Amino acid sequence: MAFSRFPYAPAPESRSIVNLRPSYGLFIGGQWAEPADGDHFKTESPSSEEVLAEVSSAGPEDVDRAVRAARRAYDEVWAPMPGKERAKYLFRVARLVQERSRELAVLESLDNGKPIRESRDVDVPLAAAHFFYHAGWADKLPYAGFGPSPEPLGVAGQVIPWNFPLLMAAWKLAPALAAGNTCVLKPAETTPLSALVLAEIFQQADLPPGVVNIVTGAGATGAALVAHPGVDKVAFTGSTEVGKQIQRAVAGTGRHLTLELGGKAANIVFDDAPLSQAIEGIVNGIFFNQGHVCCAGSRLLVQEPVAEGVVEALKRRLATLRLGDPLDKNTDIGAINSPQQLDKIRELSASGEAEGAQRWTPACPLPERGYWFPPTLFTGVAPSQRIAREEIFGPVLSVLTFRTPEEAVEKANNTTYGLSAGVWTEKGSRILYMASRLKAGVVWANTFNRFDPASPFGGYRESGFGREGGRQGLAAYLKGPLDG
Amino acid sequence: MGEGRLGVRKTYKLYIGGAFPRSESGRSYEVTGAGGEFLANVALASRKDVRDAVVAARRAQPGWSSATAYLRGQVLYRAAEMMEGRRGQFAEVVAGAEGLAAGEAASVVGAAVDRMVWYAGWSDKLAQVAGAANPVAGPYFNFSVPEPTGVVGVLAPQASSLLGLVSVLAPVVVSGNAAVVVASQERPLPAVELAEVLATSDLPGGVVNMLTGRTAELAPVLAAHRDVEALDLAGAPEGLEAELEATAAGNVKRVLRRRKPEPDWAGEPGPERMLYFVETKTVWHPIGL
């Protein structure tokens, strides 16, 4: 076939730029500290199963120390500091992230398994942009539409996922710090390293001790943080299931909460869509970051007249995707982040077959070591099947069809989620019709998976509440008139 | 109206889907005035009435939210006009419910009418205040607009039976949400009056549903209902809020907590309540030739 894989020579990014320490402590009060009542665990590269470093697991006492350090920094330093000074610290952080971008990108690909092309071109530049954007807000809050002198909430406890480790840290920290809060951040268990390098960056920036504290660990560490009475604000990005647990834990405490949870986005292709653009958008929508994306376009809805052609074109395109070494600059699809996630993807894919959908994958040799899943397409998917309803969080696309725009809206909204959606058509009026009817926090029209610090991101319904980014995102970290 | 004429009393019913049914349970309860005097029997709504009201709200919401903002504003303004015409009647039930002197009650009613007018005017301004064109770093047109959250359960304030009610209900519906309201348990008559006003204000049936009954019995049903997207706990019973909030997590409801003590509703509210019950939607489109 004309579009089979060209023989590319490997083009691996050197990993020598990353100088990992053998062991990392917790970052509390500006210092590295051994866990008092916690333990240690190893973080490995999902593409090679090689151990990268040993990391501390924070116990309840460690979390308590971190929250107290954040409180002290809030009371004594950060909240009283003029906004223009806070701004300059955040600008410094943005610049330091840019300066160390190559190192951060390589580290992110090592620890997470994502292709270097993505960590280099998306994760790291966007993380820097988030700090830069929010730095500018720090001394302009009175003009943000939240009253003449909006106040911070206090100490923010922030729990982030493994799919965009550095970027999610930036999404959480930048607005919180700009608004005058101090933070205790809990990175994901399988991807703690870029947050620990970010701690080094905070040291290089001379960020006052305790303004950001980083406690690594697993779910128990996050649960201790979320339940800590010294935390005024909880922010969580992760699964809807854990989000509901957190909402229950916070119930009745008067503490503030924002949640960015799962999704099952519909990517809707009309028969007049620019098809070659749409094919690229569909591929980007679901195979970007191995499909480990809460807003991934995991349900493809194609209008019937073009359904067959779209599926054929997709198959041709999927056959050209390169899966393998995340550090290779040619790689399109990296490693699955963990064996647990790989099991989940396998289980849901098996359910798709068992429930009668047709499974297709291109010929795609998988490396022997590490965790891998080939790009996978399901056709003949019924809306009732699990692969059309549940978040797979992997490189698996379910294809459904529709006839009329009304049917597309109905099918797209037939989910408990509401994070994102895509629309592909050349007709402007139809884009606006669809955009106004889709119950989703982000609608990408003739594009997909675009992010920007100025663009509010967040869900409807069980995809969570609150926004990150833009003026709206500041509300998550400021006291409002309705707060008791 | 000669002296000694026997008055025609009103039957106080529920307001569900634009109709005025009794409770499907056939139950009612006695409402007394501030002095303990008998005022009326009102419908004691059941769990099933809540579910019926949610169905009606869900059905009405898409049409209401796709009506133009101008039209929604006119409908709310029409409701204010209808309230204005019934000021005397409102003043009587507010005075009875809240134990106010006639002059005080009249001024509360006036404030409630003015509050409705204030919110009516917001319908076509909220998106301008809360929305934005976002300057993203790339060749994209990117804009954000507030959209209604969907079906909102409203526990009306317990003390302020009319002004408080209008102050929590109007901000919910003006943006295109549909509401299921549980009226003040001990002071429900002004809420039923308001329902009668709404029924004659061109407000599509089901956009507002008004239930009278025991808040502690009805609120958990609203909190648990999967077709309710948000909950205003303004009139939540003391001690029940934590449980309602935890129940609401079942489908990640947005929950506006109760302020303690009940706020003075007389002050100008600001846009916050409207902003609490909208979702920011952001749309991207490439710019190119």
Side-chain angles (χ1 to χ4, degrees):
Chain A
M1 220 185 308
F3 287 99
S4 62
R5 282 184 199 82
F6 292 103
Y8 275 64
E13 185 76 44
S14 166
R15 57 181 287 182
S16 64
I17 194 167
V18 174
N19 292 307
L20 285 172
R21 293 183 242 156
S23 177
Y24 285 87
L26 305 166
F27 186 66
I28 297 176
Q31 306 284 327
W32 294 100
E34 283 303 302
D37 61 342
D39 206 344
H40 292 86
F41 64 100
K42 292 177 170 43
T43 183
E44 62 166 34
S45 171
S47 59
S48 64
E49 301 179 48
E50 165 203 0
V51 172
L52 296 170
E54 189 181 68
V55 178
S56 300
S57 167
E61 197 186 316
D62 299 311
V63 169
D64 182 58
R65 269 193 305 154
V67 172
R68 279 188 287 117
R71 171 66 55 196
R72 204 175 313 120
Y74 177 78
D75 289 338
E76 294 170 9
V77 184
W78 199 246
M81 186 184 287
K84 69 179 169 112
E85 301 297 311
R86 288 203 310 271
K88 285 190 281 184
Y89 279 112
L90 294 178
F91 280 124
R92 274 190 192 179
V93 171
R95 283 299 198 222
L96 285 159
V97 170
Q98 288 173 330
E99 284 161 19
R100 297 178 67 170
S101 59
R102 195 178 176 106
E103 172 196 358
L104 284 164
V106 172
L107 177 61
E108 200 75 318
S109 284
L110 276 175
D111 202 19
N112 168 280
K114 65 174 65 202
I116 186 74
R117 193 161 49 81
E118 293 177 7
S119 48
R120 181 195 64 199
D121 296 348
V122 181
D123 294 60
V124 178
L126 268 179
H130 265 265
F131 281 109
F132 200 93
Y133 173 84
H134 287 96
W137 270 126
D139 54 357
K140 297 163 195 71
L141 297 172
Y143 312 107
F146 304 105
S149 52
E151 284 176 47
L153 298 172
V155 174
Q158 305 173 312
V159 179
I160 58 171
W162 46 261
N163 56 342
F164 296 91
L166 180 72
L167 183 56
M168 289 300 107
W171 278 28
K172 291 284 178 285
L173 295 172
L177 297 177
N181 305 272
T182 57
C183 301
V184 179
L185 179 78
K186 208 291 280 181
E189 183 185 8
T190 59
T191 55
L193 294 178
S194 54
L196 296 171
V197 170
L198 193 57
E200 292 175 6
I201 285 175
F202 294 141
Q203 287 182 315
Q204 289 183 335
D206 285 331
L207 190 72
V211 170
V212 175
N213 306 272
I214 298 177
V215 289
T216 45
T221 304
L225 178 58
V226 164
H228 196 292
V231 168
D232 302 297
K233 154 83 190 187
V234 174
F236 171 75
T237 295
S239 72
T240 292
E241 185 192 347
V242 175
K244 290 178 181 178
Q245 289 168 16
I246 292 175
Q247 193 177 359
R248 283 187 197 103
V250 170
T253 64
R255 285 187 273 148
H256 299 260
L257 176 66
T258 43
L259 298 170
E260 202 269 89
L261 309 176
K264 191 75 191 174
N267 202 358
I268 304 163
V269 179
F270 284 94
D271 58 6
D272 70 334
L275 282 183
S276 48
Q277 249 176 281
I279 296 297
E280 290 309 304
I282 296 163
V283 168
N284 171 260
I286 184 62
F287 300 114
F288 172 62
N289 202 32
Q290 295 73 247
H292 300 331
V293 186
C294 45
C295 52
S298 53
R299 285 184 299 152
L300 178 64
L301 298 181
V302 196
Q303 201 162 21
E304 282 179 7
V306 294
E308 216 170 297
V310 164
V311 169
E312 284 313 309
L314 264 178
K315 287 179 176 174
R316 280 200 301 278
R317 182 66 180 90
L318 260 54
T320 68
L321 293 177
R322 289 158 191 283
L323 178 148
D325 182 7
L327 289 186
D328 191 321
K329 284 170 269 191
N330 296 319
T331 295
D332 297 305
I333 298 191
I336 300 302
N337 183 252
S338 68
Q340 293 78 22
Q341 187 57 29
L342 183 57
D343 286 347
K344 189 185 160 198
I345 297 167
R346 283 179 174 154
E347 191 270 324
L348 270 162
S349 299
S351 85
E353 275 183 296
E355 290 186 323
Q358 285 84 54
R359 178 176 184 160
W360 183 88
T361 59
C364 180
L366 302 181
E368 284 185 6
R369 293 189 67 80
Y371 316 116
W372 307 92
F373 198 87
T376 298
L377 201 67
F378 277 100
T379 52
V381 178
S384 59
Q385 289 166 357
R386 287 181 64 205
I387 53 169
R389 288 186 290 116
E390 297 181 27
E391 186 175 39
I392 301 175
F393 225 63
V396 181
L397 180 64
S398 300
V399 184
L400 299 92
T401 60
F402 69 93
R403 285 191 184 179
T404 63
E406 293 77 15
E407 188 190 357
V409 169
E410 170 114 17
K411 280 184 163 160
N413 288 340
N414 184 16
T415 166
T416 53
Y417 295 115
L419 191 50
S420 65
V423 181
W424 298 85
T425 171
E426 289 285 40
K427 199 172 173 190
S429 56
R430 184 183 280 159
I431 287 173
L432 296 174
Y433 170 93
M434 294 298 290
S436 68
R437 279 162 181 77
L438 292 167
K439 290 191 195 301
V442 182
V443 177
W444 286 293
N446 293 330
T447 184
F448 209 93
N449 272 345
R450 300 290 154 196
F451 309 95
D452 194 279
S455 176
F457 183 91
Y460 281 41
R461 306 199 280 195
E462 294 191 26
S463 288
F465 46 74
R467 291 294 177 268
E468 294 181 292
R471 188 190 66 80
Q472 288 83 350
L474 294 171
Y477 293 99
L478 291 170
K479 263 187 201 138
L482 300 180
D483 298 329
Chain B
M1 305 292 155
E3 287 208 5
R5 177 182 172 271
L6 190 61
V8 178
R9 284 183 180 172
K10 176 151 82 187
T11 309
Y12 286 89
K13 300 207 243 177
L14 307 176
Y15 180 50
I16 299 175
F20 288 92
R22 292 186 169 85
S23 169
E24 62 80 37
S25 66
R27 303 181 303 174
S28 65
Y29 69 112
E30 197 176 299
V31 174
T32 53
E37 72 282 10
F38 173 79
L39 293 179
N41 290 313
V42 303
L44 181 64
S46 68
R47 297 187 178 105
K48 177 70 164 67
D49 291 319
V50 175
R51 292 197 294 270
D52 290 346
V54 173
V55 169
R58 172 56 63 205
R59 195 175 296 143
Q61 197 269 331
W64 177 240
S65 72
S66 59
T68 64
Y70 179 37
L71 181 63
R72 288 199 305 271
Q74 289 186 89
V75 169
L76 288 203
Y77 185 78
R78 177 77 177 155
E81 290 177 346
M82 294 294 106
M83 289 175 78
E84 181 81 14
R86 288 165 69 140
R87 280 173 65 199
Q89 208 171 331
F90 272 116
E92 195 179 311
V93 286
V94 168
E98 300 182 19
L100 300 178
E104 289 171 322
S107 112
V108 167
V109 170
V113 178
D114 292 353
R115 183 63 39 87
M116 192 67 96
V117 171
W118 191 80
Y119 275 113
W122 264 110
S123 69
D124 46 10
K125 291 151 199 84
L126 188 65
Q128 293 185 311
V129 169
N134 306 306
V136 295
Y140 296 92
F141 177 55
N142 176 302
F143 66 95
S144 295
V145 284
E147 291 203 340
T149 296
V151 173
V152 181
V154 177
L155 307 182
Q158 296 295 341
S160 182
S161 59
L162 182 67
L163 180 57
L165 171 64
V166 171
S167 299
V168 297
L169 177 59
V172 166
V173 295
V174 68
S175 63
N177 292 296
V180 176
V181 184
V182 179
S184 165
Q185 179 172 324
E186 304 293 333
R187 303 172 173 183
L189 301 191
V192 181
E193 291 286 342
L194 183 66
E196 290 163 8
V197 158
L198 297 175
T200 53
S201 303
D202 297 331
L203 188 75
V207 171
V208 172
N209 304 275
M210 192 74 72
L211 303 174
T212 52
R214 287 194 283 266
T215 313
E217 181 186 1
L218 306 179
V221 187
L222 275 176
H225 204 297
R226 293 279 166 152
D227 230 8
V228 175
E229 279 98 3
L231 201 55
D232 184 343
L233 294 182
E238 188 78 45
L240 203 62
E241 297 146 285
E243 190 191 318
L244 291 173
E245 234 185 281
T247 305
N251 66 334
V252 198
K253 282 186 184 67
R254 293 85 174 103
V255 180
L256 181 54
R257 290 170 173 148
R258 181 165 74 100
R259 288 164 77 192
K260 293 169 222 174
E262 188 177 311
D264 175 10
W265 300 100
E268 182 166 305
E272 292 81 34
R273 284 188 167 268
M274 290 181 290
L275 294 174
Y276 206 88
F277 298 108
V278 293
E279 310 286 327
T280 297
K281 175 182 278 178
T282 299
V283 181
W284 292 68
H285 194 276
I287 297 170
L289 293 172

